[in-house]
Each structure stands twice: as C-alpha cells, then as structure tokens.
Amino acid sequence: MTLKQDTRASVLARRKAIPDAKRKEKSLLICERFLAEVDLWLASCEHSEDSARPLSIAAYEPMSSEVDVHPLLFAAYERGWEVFLPCMAKDTSDAPARMVFFPIEQNHLTEQRPAFLDHPARPYLLGDLHAQGWREADEQLFDVAVIPLVAFDSGLMRLGYGGGNYDRFLPKLRDDCFVAGVAFEEQHIDRVPTEPHDLPLPRIFSA
C-alpha cells in the first residue's frame, strides 16, 4: 500500500470505532462551531443575510462514520439559506464520473429523498438526472463550503478519499467563499502525506 492508502485505512478504522453516541455529540459540537464562525465571518464581510440573494452553502450527505452535518443543514434551512449537496454524475455511460451539486430542499432530506442522497458514491447518468428535474449548480455561487475529509494535521492539510473530487472542486470556488473542513479529533494525525499539488484548507473544525 502507498503511504496515503495506508494512512487512509488506519484513520478510517479509527473514525469508525467512535461510539455512535459520541459521534453524534461530536458532530453537533462541530456544526455549532462551524455556524458560529460563519456568523463571525458574515459580520466582518459585505455579504448580509438581509441581502436580496440568500446565502448558498455546499455541503455533503454523510456516509458511514463521517461527521453528521445535518444539524448544520437544518440550521441553514431555518435561516433561509440555499443548500446544495453533491452527486456523482456521468455525461455518458462510458465517461468518467464527476461531482456535481444540486439544490436540495429540506423535504428531500426528510421525506422525498432522491436516490443519489442515499448512494452518494454511486454514479448516475446526467441526462437521467436532468429528466428528473435536477440542474447542477455553478460552484461560483457558493458562499460557504463544508468539506469532508479522512485525515488532517495541524498545518490544515487534508487527506481525502483518493478520488480527487474535492481537489477539482475547491479551485472552482470564489476566493471569498468560506471554506472549512469538518472532522473528528480522532482523524488528526502528525503529518498528512502530500504531493506537490496538495494545498491546505483555510480552516478545519473538529471535536
């Protein structure tokens, strides 16, 4: 195994071992910290929640033992923000899958769940998604981005799942987008193995 693969397997096993009750408690604390920092950021920048355009937040539907960001998403809905979640999509059946973001209403999380939310790693044909009424969002519209990760270090370097989806996603965001990773302290390691193209995240919230 390569160093990244070995590190990924080790940290994922450690994350999976967190008891469910503790994971829920930690996830809520991470969401609260995230939201508090967004509030401070909003107070210090030109964007106002009273402006004509609502805040747009790109997040993710948690898989397995990931940080549960649902408390953050429901807080966003309460504030009137627009929520966007990812889907793996293919332009044709033999094309590589790429990550796109769709606008997700609150009832999509609680009642009328689209299939791609329950299977976030499964690729879907973009044409089929369009026929169902889904339209991918322009990443330049996002004001806030919540980034999942496998491991991180004190230098804010992130180790992902190896697919490169967020390596391609992050450069598409506006320079003034509030970008932050979320993770459990059990995912903190001394040093994330990196390659020359790897860049640190602006901030990571953990508990």
Side-chain angles (χ1 to χ4, degrees):
M1 299 179 76
T2 67
L3 182 55
K4 280 190 174 182
Q5 289 173 325
D6 192 33
T7 302
R8 192 174 287 119
S10 174
V11 176
L12 285 176
R14 199 158 66 214
R15 189 181 75 182
K16 186 177 181 180
I18 302 172
D20 289 344
K22 179 62 69 173
R23 184 181 297 112
K24 183 177 181 180
E25 177 186 327
K26 285 172 170 279
S27 292
L28 180 58
L29 185 56
I30 290 167
C31 290
E32 289 173 346
R33 290 175 176 170
F34 194 112
L35 195 59
E37 287 300 317
V38 169
D39 285 340
L40 290 174
W41 169 73
L42 285 171
S44 66
C45 69
E46 294 182 358
H47 189 102
S48 168
E49 292 190 79
D50 296 325
S51 65
R53 183 177 68 83
L55 206 72
S56 296
I57 179 170
Y60 64 91
E61 179 67 5
M63 297 187 299
S64 182
S65 58
E66 287 183 324
V67 173
D68 184 356
V69 295
H70 285 136
L72 176 60
L73 300 184
F74 289 126
Y77 287 125
E78 288 178 4
R79 290 164 171 239
W81 298 356
E82 294 181 337
V83 173
F84 297 83
L85 298 181
C87 170
M88 297 305 298
K90 302 175 73 170
D91 294 304
T92 61
S93 58
D94 57 351
R98 56 190 176 89
M99 187 171 68
V100 298
F101 282 78
F102 294 130
I104 300 296
E105 303 294 337
Q106 187 166 347
N107 69 337
H108 290 141
L109 293 180
T110 58
E111 300 170 17
Q112 302 172 358
R113 291 179 63 84
F116 63 80
L117 287 186
D118 291 323
H119 305 282
R122 180 187 299 174
Y124 294 83
L125 282 174
L126 199 55
D128 292 343
L129 293 165
H130 287 167
Q132 297 168 23
W134 297 101
R135 293 293 182 270
E136 56 269 41
D138 180 353
E139 292 87 347
Q140 285 283 300
L141 296 176
F142 300 150
D143 302 294
V144 178
V146 189
I147 310 300
L149 52 90
V150 171
F152 70 102
D153 61 25
S154 297
L156 302 182
M157 295 302 299
R158 168 191 180 271
L159 178 65
Y161 291 90
N165 291 306
Y166 282 92
D167 291 330
R168 291 184 287 272
F169 169 69
L170 290 167
K172 298 177 182 178
L173 300 173
R174 299 196 317 268
D175 291 341
D176 64 345
C177 182
F178 183 96
V179 179
V182 291
F184 301 113
E185 281 297 331
E186 286 82 353
Q187 296 170 253
H188 183 274
I189 61 177
D190 289 338
R191 186 172 183 273
V192 168
T194 60
E195 298 174 65
H197 65 270
D198 291 324
L199 297 172
L201 289 173
R203 53 188 74 79
I204 295 174
F205 298 107
S206 61

